[in-house]
């Protein structure tokens, strides 16, 4: 039997979607939102268009993370595995892992 983690705090879902490069992104995000809410998570659903938008959304979510004991995060984008594709014309597509680590250091 797999170990069970008891979540005594606030479970949080962050769902960030980019409608510019992903047809149907809003509908997919809405379905994720419904499922996560049904599972008892508080969900922050937000649209992003550029790397700077996404950084701002994540920075603005930091206050929610301080009370969170379980986090589900989904950044919806097209691109290669582990890479973010943005619609702001940026040629410098940073890996998602580097991007998240950069934000976590703040």
């Amino acid at each position: 039997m797999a170990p069970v983690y008891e979540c005594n705090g606030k479970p949080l879902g962050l769902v960030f979607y980019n409608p510019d490069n992903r047809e149907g992104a809003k509908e997919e995000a809405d379905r994720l939102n419904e499922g996560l809410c049904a599972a008892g998570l508080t969900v922050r659903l937000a649209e992003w268009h550029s790397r700077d938008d996404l950084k701002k959304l994540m920075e603005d979510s930091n206050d929610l993370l301080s009370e969170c004991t379980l986090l589900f995060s989904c950044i919806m984008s097209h691109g290669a595995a582990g890479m973010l594709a943005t619609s702001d014309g940026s040629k410098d597509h940073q890996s998602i892992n580097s991007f998240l680590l950069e934000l976590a250091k703040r």
Side-chain angles (χ1 to χ4, degrees):
M1 179 184 220
V4 176
Y5 173 76
E6 192 170 327
C7 183
N8 295 322
K10 295 181 179 180
L12 175 65
L14 300 176
V15 178
F16 301 144
Y17 66 95
N18 184 332
D20 299 333
N21 64 7
R22 188 174 170 84
E23 189 174 325
K26 173 72 169 113
E27 292 78 13
E28 290 175 352
D30 286 340
R31 284 196 300 274
L32 264 174
N33 182 40
E34 288 174 19
L36 293 172
C37 285
L41 279 76
T42 299
V43 179
R44 176 161 190 216
L45 183 67
E47 185 176 302
W48 64 279
H49 301 276
S50 69
R51 184 172 179 265
D52 288 339
D53 287 349
L54 186 56
K55 285 176 79 171
K56 176 97 172 86
L57 284 169
M58 296 193 72
E59 288 167 352
D60 291 348
S61 298
N62 279 342
D63 59 326
L64 299 172
L65 297 176
S66 65
E67 299 177 18
C68 169
T69 57
L70 176 124
L71 174 65
F72 175 92
S73 178
C74 181
I75 301 171
M76 299 169 66
S77 171
H78 277 302
M83 300 296 281
L84 283 175
T86 63
S87 57
D88 61 358
S90 172
K91 302 260 193 272
D92 180 25
H93 296 279
Q94 186 177 20
S95 86
I96 187 65
N97 292 336
S98 298
F99 181 79
L100 294 173
L101 286 172
E102 176 186 318
L103 286 174
K105 290 178 185 175
R106 296 176 186 200

